[in-house]
Amino acid sequence: MAMKTEYDAPAPFDYEVWQPDPDWDCSPELQPIERDTLIKLAQYVVGRHKQNWSNCVRQRLSRLIIPLRAALKWMNAASTTTNSAIHDIILEMHRLEKNYWSWTQDDWLEVLCSSEEVFRKKYGSCGNCRQYVLAIAWLLCGFNRLEAAGCFYHYRLSVKVFGRPATEAAVNKLQENMQRLGFVAADNNIRNALLLSMLCQRQVDPEKLELETLKRVITYGPVYMRRSAATLSRIFAAMGLFPAGIDHRILERRRPHGEYRATSNVPEEWLRWCERWRKTAIKAPSSELSTWYRILQCGRWLKATHPDIHSPADWSRDIALEYVAAVCQMKIGQWSEPRHMYQNRIGQLMTASARAGILQAIRVFFRDLQEWGLIIVRFNPVRTFRLPRAIRASIGPAPRVVADDIWSKLVWAGLNLQEQDLHYGEQLYYRYPFSMVRALCVLWLFGGLRRDEILRMRTGCIRWQNDEHQGGSRICLLDVPVNKTSTAFTKPVDPIVGEYIDCWEKERNIGNDSNLLIVFLCSDNAR
């Protein structure tokens, strides 16, 4: 028997709308006869899984069973799934000694477990019983902490509680806007983020979702859902529903809120100057925050070494040079309060790039204050806080070593690249020629060039030279133009690089590039 897809999952009929029966007795307390019946049922019937429920038992528990059966029937649940769901809820009512109307959100989370697998091990249920118990909690008891319910099928639950027409209308509206904005419309992760937000807010209209709901999904939801929920917020912002999107990385805190304050142990006068600079400076948010932390660190150093100096206006050139010397020997955790961060590295010498960043921050701080006329010019911060040559020489690239087996796979993939390997999405309005991609791939593998050098390569960069010592074989020479780190130079490369580049230069359309001063190799029709 073929497994049903999510689009074939059982759901209410299109014309039906869920309406609880007003005649149901939803009182939260168990009646004495219900309590006694649950004890006997759990001990003699449910626990053994052998005997059927008698009519007497059904009659005594009718107040509890009738709403469950009504909800499951409305969702078109199979008879086996219906019996399993009721069985599991009966067991939990006996364990918790209260009926499901009075279960708290935490009670429901404990009943639902973290996944379908854990749920089956706990109750021995069949099929997707957990999905129906989750729907019962949502329909009958107002359960809305779906972001903490672990893994489940968002689309299947949505069609069970909202109905298939309403769910598909919300998904189609989202996909239309995603396609209009240039997103991949078939991204199920963003679709699931939408459905989870609708379920949490109990709102079937996606245009009425609130920004706080998406923040709640990002903060407390599963990790795999955070990026998709943040992307959904940016889509809604582009649609004009939200003032701005959410960056889920900012919301991910590495320590509890309030555990660390960046301004602790900073002199009050120095802190006022730092806040004044932060309110006046016009920088990117990340650069501003980085400079802010580093000038606060300088304030702690000033408090420990020169307690009589509180303002940047009182700094002299000697104090500035003394701070440069302190930064050159600065260790991790010094003049800061890292708390639980870098515990394994506290006391080690900072990297050269970190020390360079500290000097750059204090250089910008004093330069801005002087240019704004807030302090008297006593020294030149650009010259005084200049990075020492020894630290500058220690800053360099840190290339990652690629394992031999991985590099062999890359070489094999580059040499055997086929046009069908390049999967272009439907949203791309153009595609680069295959010969250009193949030439670029081989140039990266065998050219030994950096990214900026490859992007600056021009047409006619290949020259062939006959090698008299090797029986007249040709040597491929590659002309590398001026780049940001070196002057122009020529280097020998593997002949396959020249062959693929020559193939691309013969195929490329240079007619549209005739008016350009420079014709780059890695471009097609000036793209």
Side-chain angles (χ1 to χ4, degrees):
M1 179 178 179
M3 184 177 180
K4 292 184 178 180
T5 64
E6 60 179 10
Y7 298 102
D8 300 327
F13 294 110
D14 295 348
Y15 55 84
E16 291 186 349
V17 178
W18 170 252
Q19 292 291 342
D21 191 340
D23 296 332
W24 288 343
D25 183 3
C26 303
S27 55
E29 298 297 331
L30 284 174
Q31 299 175 2
I33 190 172
E34 293 173 343
R35 193 181 302 274
D36 295 339
T37 305
L38 287 176
I39 294 174
K40 294 178 181 179
L41 191 63
Q43 184 177 1
Y44 297 106
V45 180
V46 178
R48 298 178 182 178
H49 293 278
K50 295 180 180 180
Q51 305 179 24
N52 295 326
W53 296 5
S54 64
N55 293 330
C56 180
V57 170
R58 292 192 178 94
Q59 184 177 1
R60 292 177 179 177
L61 299 180
S62 59
R63 182 178 74 93
L64 306 175
I65 295 177
I66 289 177
L68 299 177
R69 287 196 176 277
L72 292 166
K73 182 179 180 181
W74 180 77
M75 291 183 284
N76 286 322
S79 59
T80 304
T81 305
T82 298
N83 295 333
S84 296
I86 296 176
H87 162 269
D88 299 340
I89 294 177
I90 290 292
L91 274 180
E92 290 302 314
M93 282 194 294
H94 169 259
R95 183 180 67 86
L96 297 173
E97 296 184 352
K98 52 184 177 180
N99 65 31
Y100 53 85
W101 299 108
S102 61
W103 288 357
T104 63
Q105 301 280 327
D106 292 334
D107 291 337
W108 276 111
L109 287 175
E110 184 180 0
V111 171
L112 293 168
C113 303
S114 59
S115 65
E116 186 77 36
E117 181 181 2
V118 179
F119 187 88
R120 290 181 183 179
K121 289 181 179 179
K122 182 177 180 179
Y123 300 105
S125 303
C126 59
N128 55 346
C129 178
R130 178 176 181 263
Q131 192 89 356
Y132 285 94
V133 175
L134 188 56
I136 288 174
W138 195 92
L139 287 172
L140 296 179
C141 303
F143 178 74
N144 59 359
R145 289 182 57 187
L146 278 303
E147 75 281 358
C151 299
F152 62 91
Y153 293 101
H154 303 86
Y155 182 87
R156 297 187 181 187
L157 181 61
S158 297
V159 299
K160 285 179 175 60
V161 299
F162 292 130
R164 194 180 301 277
T167 302
E168 292 185 351
V171 172
N172 292 336
K173 184 181 296 184
L174 171 68
Q175 292 178 346
E176 290 174 1
N177 285 281
M178 289 176 61
Q179 187 172 5
R180 178 178 60 85
L181 297 171
F183 290 88
V184 179
D187 192 336
N188 287 338
N189 293 327
I190 300 179
R191 182 205 67 175
N192 291 337
L194 170 69
L195 297 177
L196 179 58
S197 301
M198 292 166 53
L199 291 167
C200 290
Q201 192 175 323
R202 309 181 76 86
Q203 176 57 255
V204 70
D205 187 357
E207 295 186 356
K208 295 182 180 180
L209 289 177
E210 300 175 356
L211 185 61
E212 293 300 324
T213 303
L214 292 181
K215 289 183 179 179
R216 172 180 155 194
V217 171
I218 293 174
T219 305
Y220 302 105
V223 177
Y224 66 87
M225 188 66 70
R226 295 176 183 175
R227 183 186 298 272
S228 302
T231 304
L232 179 63
S233 71
R234 293 191 288 271
I235 294 174
F236 281 173
M239 294 168 56
L241 301 178
F242 293 163
I246 305 172
D247 187 350
H248 70 286
R249 295 166 298 182
I250 295 179
L251 298 179
E252 292 178 354
R253 299 190 59 87
R254 289 177 290 182
R255 47 180 171 255
H257 179 71
E259 178 186 350
Y260 170 72
R261 291 186 59 191
T263 59
S264 59
N265 294 329
V266 178
E268 295 182 2
E269 180 68 18
W270 183 267
L271 181 59
R272 282 194 291 269
W273 280 98
C274 294
E275 291 175 345
R276 187 173 182 179
W277 173 88
R278 191 176 187 184
K279 293 178 181 178
T280 311
I282 303 176
K283 299 172 69 68
S286 58
S287 300
E288 176 191 323
L289 188 63
S290 176
T291 305
W292 162 259
Y293 285 141
R294 286 163 176 167
I295 59 180
L296 291 179
Q297 185 180 26
C298 178
R300 298 189 186 94
W301 172 85
L302 188 66
K303 179 181 178 180
T305 57
H306 298 277
D308 55 327
I309 297 177
H310 308 287
S311 168
D314 301 331
W315 275 53
S316 63
R317 188 172 182 273
D318 294 337
I319 297 177
L321 292 176
E322 183 181 347
Y323 183 67
V324 172
V327 171
C328 292
Q329 303 298 325
M330 190 170 289
K331 297 178 174 56
I332 297 176
Q334 194 174 13
W335 317 120
S336 62
E337 297 184 2
R339 297 292 176 93
H340 298 292
M341 297 176 60
Y342 311 114
Q343 285 292 333
N344 298 329
R345 298 171 55 193
I346 289 180
Q348 300 179 9
L349 186 67
M350 282 186 177
T351 61
S353 58
R355 286 175 283 169
I358 294 175
L359 290 179
Q360 180 185 6
I362 199 66
R363 182 166 60 245
V364 170
F365 177 62
F366 275 91
R367 183 199 63 192
D368 291 345
L369 294 182
Q370 290 179 2
E371 290 182 353
W372 298 339
L374 300 179
I375 61 175
I376 301 175
V377 179
R378 297 177 179 271
F379 58 89
N380 186 350
V382 177
R383 294 178 59 87
T384 307
F385 294 113
R386 184 170 50 189
L387 185 66
R389 183 179 300 177
I391 297 180
R392 185 185 297 110
S394 302
I395 301 176
R400 184 180 62 178
V401 178
V402 181
D404 292 340
D405 55 340
I406 296 178
W407 182 251
S408 299
K409 293 178 181 179
L410 290 173
V411 172
W412 184 91
L415 295 177
N416 295 275
L417 185 66
Q418 302 295 328
E419 190 168 3
Q420 56 267 24
D421 296 331
L422 305 178
H423 299 288
Y424 290 92
E426 297 178 356
Q427 306 302 321
L428 293 181
Y429 300 102
Y430 63 89
R431 65 173 62 188
Y432 288 106
F434 170 70
S435 56
M436 171 186 162
V437 177
R438 183 178 60 180
L440 183 62
C441 178
V442 173
L443 177 61
W444 180 80
L445 286 171
F446 297 97
L449 302 177
R450 293 188 296 270
R451 178 175 177 269
D452 65 293
E453 295 172 336
I454 294 177
L455 293 178
R456 289 180 171 86
M457 298 299 295
R458 304 173 185 177
T459 55
C461 59
I462 293 297
R463 292 187 292 111
W464 296 94
Q465 179 178 328
N466 293 327
D467 187 0
E468 299 178 356
H469 302 284
Q470 297 293 334
S473 61
R474 297 195 304 170
I475 299 176
C476 180
L477 300 177
L478 180 66
D479 294 331
V480 182
V482 177
N483 55 80
K484 67 178 184 179
T485 57
S486 64
T487 59
F489 62 93
T490 301
K491 63 183 299 185
V493 293
D494 194 286
I496 193 173
V497 177
E499 295 172 2
Y500 281 4
I501 291 180
D502 287 342
C503 179
W504 160 235
E505 289 183 346
K506 293 177 182 178
E507 181 181 333
R508 77 191 301 271
N509 183 11
I510 61 175
N512 296 333
D513 299 332
S514 58
N515 296 326
L516 298 178
L517 182 62
I518 299 176
V519 181
F520 291 102
L521 177 68
C522 302
S523 65
D524 179 49
N525 294 330
R527 294 197 297 262

